[in-house]
Each structure stands twice: as structure tokens, then as C-alpha cells.
Amino acid sequence: MTASSCPPRDMIAPALSPRAGAPPVEWRISDGLVGYEEALAFMEDRVAAIARGAAPECVWLLEHPPIYTAGTSAKDSDLLDARFPVHRTGRGGQFTYHGPGQRIAYVMLDLTQRRRDIRAFVCALESWLIATLAEFGVAGERREARVGVWVQRPDKAPGPNGEIAEDKIAAIGVRLRQWVSFHGIALNVAPDLSHFSGIAPCGVRERHLGVTSLKDLGAPATMADVDAALRRHFEAIFG
């Protein structure tokens, strides 16, 4: 199948359940801020162990101190103001921001035991986020040309051709090694949105495309509320 003949992501079945008899996914939730290098070291070790069959799959929920991360497609010109430490990483995608008030979910799953399809995996992550956001009254949407989850903002100035303004509320950046995934998603719960101004998030520069959060949208939620919703909807999609 060529890239042009691939179905849109919203037409891909999102379910990525494991094979029968697979051990349950381990859930880790860290209090406080976890350093980025510490998180990377854990993921490297855990992904290797999952690939060997020596450890169960894992989802790790955490927050980072303020940092910018650059994926494999990041352009130096998209780093506008290096006001926070910059980490070059092997995940897909471009520049993004991580910081307090943003829920990171690092997702370490064995796609060999599920479905060896990276597009289906990204679609499943988007569906997971969209279902989670719906619990808080937020209509998250995917965009075929922009990975991540977006919300329409008719209250903001439209684009140059009258396009409805949109804000990104969740980013996705993943990597696979031996068909085991790592890195994952970043959902804006209540971060300082001004911290995104040091980068062109995910390479997006259009004035009518910005960033938002649950708090910014008037849908405040505690991190515990978000964690509970993430787990419920993860199990519906990933088993």
C-alpha cells in the first residue's frame, strides 16, 4: 500500500488489544517532577526487558521540569528562545515543551503481541486522548496533516482564509525498537502556556494554530482526575 492509498487515521480501527493470556500492563504514577534523563534511562531499560520477554508492558504517568525536547524531525529554526534546557531525543516529531501541569504518559507496549502497525498505534493513542478529553467536556479532534489532538477555537481570530482557529491540547511522539514502543503522549492539563513561546510547537507557525489546556478551556481537572480517566480509556482501547 502506498502512502497516498493509506486510509485516513480516523478510519483506522483503534483497538490494539494484546493476545489472549498476556500479562497485565504495569501502571506507574510518579509524584513530583521526574528528570528527563532519568525517564529516558528507565524507558531504555524497560523496553529492552519487554523485548526479551523479561518484563511486562508499562505505562508511566509523570511530570517533567520545564524542558524543550527535539524529535528526529526537529528543525533548529523552530527553537526560538532556548529559555529551558533542550534535549535531543530519538522519538518522532519536532520540538515540544514539557513542564509542570502537563501529564506525560510514557507508553511501553509490545506491538508484536498486539498489532505491528505504527499508524494504527498512533491512531489508538489519539483515540485514547480524545476519549479522555470527552470526560471533561472537551471535544478533541485529530487532523490528518497534524499528529496530536486539537480543539476548535471559534472564540479566537480565524486564519487568513477564514479557517477556524484551532489549539493543540495534546502532543504525540513515539519510537519503536524491536516493535516495542516508548515515549508517548503529553496532555496539557494546567501548564504555563507561555512556556510554549520559546518554540514553534511541532513546527506549527500559523497564527490561528496555538496551544491550550484543560484549564485554559475552562475545564479544570486535577491530575488525579486525568489519571483516572486515562486509565479507564486506555483499558477500553489497549486492553
Side-chain angles (χ1 to χ4, degrees):
M1 180 180 292
T2 65
S4 60
S5 65
C6 288
R9 292 197 309 280
D10 59 2
M11 293 180 63
I12 299 174
L16 249 73
S17 298
R19 293 177 181 173
V25 176
E26 178 187 353
W27 279 75
R28 294 167 54 97
I29 302 178
S30 291
D31 295 326
L33 303 180
V34 178
Y36 193 68
E37 296 295 342
E38 176 187 345
L40 283 181
F42 175 87
M43 284 193 287
E44 290 279 352
D45 289 345
R46 188 57 172 260
V47 165
I50 292 170
R52 296 194 308 269
E57 298 173 308
C58 180
V59 175
W60 186 11
L61 305 181
L62 55 84
E63 294 172 83
H64 285 309
I67 57 170
Y68 295 132
T69 66
T72 54
S73 301
K75 300 176 182 178
D76 290 343
S77 59
D78 287 337
L79 179 61
L80 309 177
D81 177 11
R83 54 194 292 198
F84 302 119
V86 178
H87 292 265
R88 304 282 173 172
T89 180
R91 64 160 174 79
Q94 302 184 48
F95 274 103
T96 193
Y97 164 78
H98 296 318
Q102 183 188 69
R103 179 49 94 207
I104 304 292
Y106 286 135
V107 182
M108 291 154 272
L109 300 182
D110 185 355
L111 298 192
T112 296
Q113 303 299 321
R114 294 170 178 272
R115 184 176 172 188
R116 284 191 173 192
D117 187 329
I118 184 60
R119 278 173 54 85
F121 180 53
V122 171
C123 173
L125 293 174
E126 290 173 335
S127 296
W128 178 29
L129 286 162
I130 289 168
T132 298
L133 289 167
E135 283 209 19
F136 304 100
V138 173
E141 300 176 353
R142 58 170 55 88
R143 293 290 178 261
E144 191 62 26
R146 297 182 249 126
V147 173
V149 176
W150 297 76
V151 295
Q152 294 192 9
R153 299 301 302 268
D155 54 312
K156 292 188 172 183
N161 298 313
E163 306 96 329
I164 294 176
E166 296 183 341
D167 284 343
K168 193 171 192 175
I169 193 168
I172 296 173
V174 296
R175 184 179 181 185
L176 297 180
R177 181 177 295 154
Q178 295 180 275
W179 286 101
V180 179
S181 67
F182 55 126
H183 298 280
I185 65 171
L187 173 58
N188 295 334
V189 179
D192 184 338
L193 295 178
S194 71
H195 289 181
F196 286 86
S197 64
I199 57 173
C202 300
V204 175
R205 291 176 176 266
E206 291 89 339
R207 290 183 178 274
H208 66 293
L209 301 177
V211 291
T212 190
S213 66
L214 287 173
K215 181 180 178 181
D216 182 52
L217 293 171
T222 68
M223 203 64 80
D225 292 336
V226 171
D227 291 348
L230 283 169
R231 182 154 190 176
R232 279 193 295 274
H233 295 289
F234 179 92
E235 291 175 352
I237 294 170
F238 295 97

